Structure formats: structure tokens, C-alpha cells
Amino acid sequence: MPTVYDLSREQLRDRLVAWGEPAFRAKQVWSQLWKRAATYDQMSDVSPGLREQLSEGLPLGVEVLTERTSDRGATRKALLRLGGQHVVEAVLMGYPDRVTVCISSQAGCAMGCTFCATGQMGLQNNLTAGEIAAQAVWARREAGKLPDSTPQRLTNVVFMGMGEPFANQRHVFASLARLTDPGAFGLGARHITVSTVGIVPGIERLAERAPQVGLAVSFHAASDELRDQLVPPNTRYPLLRLERAIADWRLRTRRRPSIEWALIDRVNDTTEQAELLAPIARRLGAHVNLIPLNPTPGYPVLGSPPARIRRFVETLERLRVNVTVRDTRGRSIDAACGQLALATA
Ligand code: SAH
Ligand code: SF4
């Protein structure tokens, strides 16, 4: 068993009952694990003997290897070892009105986007549902340490860490079920967003299986010619097909999708690309999130300078597109978008 968070409620109960504990004790432990995000030492209503038996027989499976903070403590990045073997990064970000954790769905990624540090390392492993959910549990516990300029309570989960969620669908959908289960983690599905590079069958399944969960799609280019180069899965799911899948998702869920776009100097920050993007974004009723490219070791091109970012934004706004430029939270600790890799492991 990779982590205790991989057990169902019934499996946990059966284990405790086999140890001679009453069933209500299992309920108590379950709720402490998920709702209070407690570690075994923090379970003051559980006897020390049982706590010890739990940590030996059913280890949490979440070890914090290193932790770094920036933005005056409002951004916290942890290197986590999950299930005793998979190492990933998770980033907690406090804002005045919300606290978001960015979690990983895989150790590494096989999609090969050239500008992304996770892509540069290749795929090491899929995470299990419990390993994915355990990162949100870590964040719930960690949120208590945030400065009081932000709520000290986890409010949002985004699947924007390492990996491509829809390349690990079975475990990602199971983790969504656990995170939104009112009897388990109990976070509203509307407070969760999955970001994908554009794996069409995954988008279709998200609409069916988790219609309240938000969708962000990493475009980075609005012509197949350029997108094939930047985002290799585009050759399999080209723009027209991708747009159709997002349009269907929107019809079924009645939610507004996001389009993610990392601005790369003189590569995809041209007026031509903005003019190609605008009609797509308008047809989809999408919100465009621009992220100035963060530096990564394996990609020599720079992020767009401020003047080019401004021009790109102005072109989109003139064409009546809803657009914002995202902040580069955590850049100084390599915790920003696309910088997650295991160099610190
Ligand atoms: N695999 C999924 C989710 C993880 S990536 C996806 O690609 O959507 C999270 C976001 O960071 C994506 O939008 C990705 O394109 C973006 N990103 C990757 N490398 C980046 C970089 N160097 N600078 C800025 N954003 C980057
Ligand atoms: Fe994988 Fe997303 Fe990075 Fe592309 S941008 S390599 S899909 S994590």
C-alpha cells in the first residue's frame, strides 16, 4: 500500500478491527486523517499505543524532504516523498482571499514540452490516487503556517504541478473522488481545477465524471505548426479537435474554461499568434491566463520582456478577449510554473 490515503474507509476499518479496535475508532482515525489533516502524533484522541501501531502498520506515506518559502512566507514549496518512493513537488500559495495548492499527478512527465523543467526530466512514475490526494492533505496541514495576510485555511486545489493529469487518468479521477467526498477531504469540486496539455479523451471524461471540476488547457500556440513544436501531443490532438472537446466540455458543464499560455520571447508572443488565439478564446468563452515563461535549465529561450507582454495583452483586449497576466509566484525558489523538477532531491 503506497500511502494510508490509498485505503478506502472500509479497508481502514477492516485493518483496525483486525487489530481488535472497535469500528468507531476507525471512523475517528479516518476523520483525523482527512478532515483535520493530522499526522499520527497529532491525533490526541487516539491512544499512544494505537498511534504507534498505526505508524508502523499503516504509515502515512508522506515525508517532507525539504521545504522552502518565499514571498514573505506566503509561498511554500515542499519536496515530498510519497509512498516511500515517488518524489514530487507541491507548492502552497497564500493570497489575500484564497489559499491554493498546486499538486502533482506524476513524478516527471512524458509529454516532452521543451520549455518545461518537468518535461525535460521525462516520466519516472505515475502517482496513485492516495499519493495525489496526500499532497492536498499536506497543504491543509501546512496552511496553518501561512502569514495572517492570507486565510490560514486551504481553499483551492489545482492540478498544475508535475505531470500530465490525463496521462494518469485512473488515479487522477480516483483522487478527485476522494478530495471531493464530503466524508473524506470534503473540498467543493468547484474549488478544484485540472490543467491539461490537451489530451482530448481526458477532457471528455472530465465532463462526464467530474462536471463541477474546473478545466485549464495549456495552449501556448494557436497554429498547429507552432504548437506541434512547443507541445508535442498536439500532433495527436490538433487544435481543431482540441477546441471541439473544450466546447463540448463547456456545453455540458456550463463552466468557463481557462487557456494557459507561457509567453516565450519572439516565439509565441507575436501579434500574429494573439490574432489567431483571439477567435478561439472568444468562441470558447475562455479566460486567457498569460504566464511569462519561467527559466528552466534545458531551454535557452527567455520569457517575453514587459513591452512584448503588454503588446500581446493589448492585442487580445482589442479583440475582446478576457485576459490576465499571472504572477510568477515562487520563482526565486524554483517553484513557479514549469520549474518543478527534482534537482533538489
Ligand atoms: N501537464 C499539465 C499540468 C502541469 S504544467 C499542463 O501542461 O497543463 C502547469 C502549467 O505550467 C502549464 O500551463 C504549463 O504549460 C506551464 N509551464 C510549463 N513550463 C513553463 C515555464 N517554463 N514557464 C511558465 N509556465 C510553464
Ligand atoms: Fe508535461 Fe505539462 Fe510540462 Fe508539458 S507543460 S511537459 S504536459 S508538465
Side-chain angles (χ1 to χ4, degrees):
M1 184 210 48
T3 74
V4 72
Y5 303 97
D6 283 290
L7 293 183
S8 67
R9 213 185 262 109
E10 294 70 34
Q11 287 167 325
L12 182 71
R13 186 199 53 213
D14 292 349
R15 287 296 285 268
L16 267 70
V17 168
W19 292 349
E21 294 292 334
F24 76 82
R25 189 84 66 218
K27 262 196 191 154
Q28 226 173 357
V29 172
W30 174 270
S31 138
Q32 292 269 349
L33 281 170
W34 286 100
K35 295 257 187 275
R36 261 198 65 216
T39 60
Y40 291 133
D41 339 327
Q42 294 168 336
M43 295 186 185
S44 46
D45 55 352
V46 174
S47 73
L50 179 57
R51 282 190 251 159
E52 204 179 309
Q53 198 170 3
L54 282 163
S55 29
E56 270 165 33
L58 294 174
L60 280 192
V62 186
E63 287 161 79
V64 180
L65 298 180
T66 59
E67 220 175 335
R68 297 185 68 184
T69 66
S70 70
D71 306 308
R72 296 207 197 93
T75 302
R76 312 179 74 91
K77 174 173 88 159
L79 192 65
L80 302 175
R81 178 151 54 216
L82 301 170
Q85 46 179 344
H86 304 152
V87 178
V88 299
E89 292 187 320
V91 185
L92 184 68
M93 292 160 287
Y95 300 91
D97 60 330
R98 66 185 193 283
V99 173
T100 300
V101 66
C102 179
I103 64 173
S104 298
S105 55
Q106 300 181 302
C109 182
M111 297 296 123
C113 308
T114 43
F115 51 85
C116 167
T118 310
Q120 289 156 17
M121 65 183 270
L123 179 65
Q124 296 188 340
N125 268 302
N126 276 330
L127 299 185
T128 66
E131 290 171 336
I132 297 169
Q135 299 166 65
V137 174
W138 163 81
R140 180 169 273 174
R141 182 159 60 238
E142 192 75 4
K145 301 183 194 162
L146 288 168
D148 55 16
S149 51
T150 111
Q152 285 152 336
R153 179 176 70 81
L154 181 72
T155 61
N156 294 75
V157 172
V158 297
F159 283 67
M160 293 189 186
M162 300 168 71
E164 167 50 44
F166 294 149
N168 183 17
Q169 286 187 39
R170 184 161 68 88
H171 294 123
V172 164
F173 281 103
S175 72
L176 287 172
R178 204 45 67 76
L179 290 175
T180 55
D181 176 354
F185 196 66
L187 186 67
R190 288 177 169 274
H191 296 270
I192 301 179
T193 299
V194 173
S195 175
T196 176
V197 72
I199 307 297
V200 164
I203 297 173
E204 292 166 352
R205 211 154 154 210
L206 188 70
E208 273 163 37
R209 303 244 325 238
Q212 311 274 352
V213 167
L215 173 68
V217 182
S218 300
F219 267 68
H220 310 306
S223 62
D224 283 320
E225 197 193 355
L226 180 60
R227 198 163 189 271
D228 282 350
Q229 287 172 33
L230 293 176
V231 178
N234 191 66
T235 53
R236 184 121 187 254
Y237 305 110
L239 283 165
L240 255 181
R241 209 172 150 208
L242 179 57
E243 182 179 338
R244 214 178 316 128
I246 303 170
D248 286 346
W249 175 87
R250 180 173 173 236
L251 264 176
R252 294 183 66 161
T253 63
R254 303 177 178 279
R255 301 202 60 186
R256 175 192 279 268
S258 302
I259 290 178
E260 310 290 304
W261 190 288
L263 280 165
I264 311 173
D265 192 23
R266 286 165 213 280
V267 172
N268 67 355
D269 62 356
T270 58
T271 303
E272 188 202 349
Q273 283 292 319
E275 286 173 346
L276 287 168
L277 170 60
I280 300 176
R282 271 206 320 266
R283 282 195 296 269
L284 290 172
H287 185 94
V288 174
N289 263 317
L290 301 173
I291 319 156
L293 185 83
N294 291 307
T296 62
Y299 189 69
V301 187
L302 296 178
S304 306
R308 291 183 70 85
I309 297 177
R310 243 186 342 265
R311 221 184 42 210
F312 199 83
V313 170
E314 279 163 14
T315 309
L316 289 178
E317 281 177 341
R318 176 168 52 78
L319 298 170
R320 303 190 315 283
V321 173
N322 217 306
V323 53
T324 44
V325 181
R326 246 213 239 147
D327 65 5
T328 48
R329 264 309 171 91
R331 222 191 225 198
S332 65
I333 52 169
D334 284 345
C337 299
Q339 293 187 310
L340 303 185
L342 300 182
T344 41

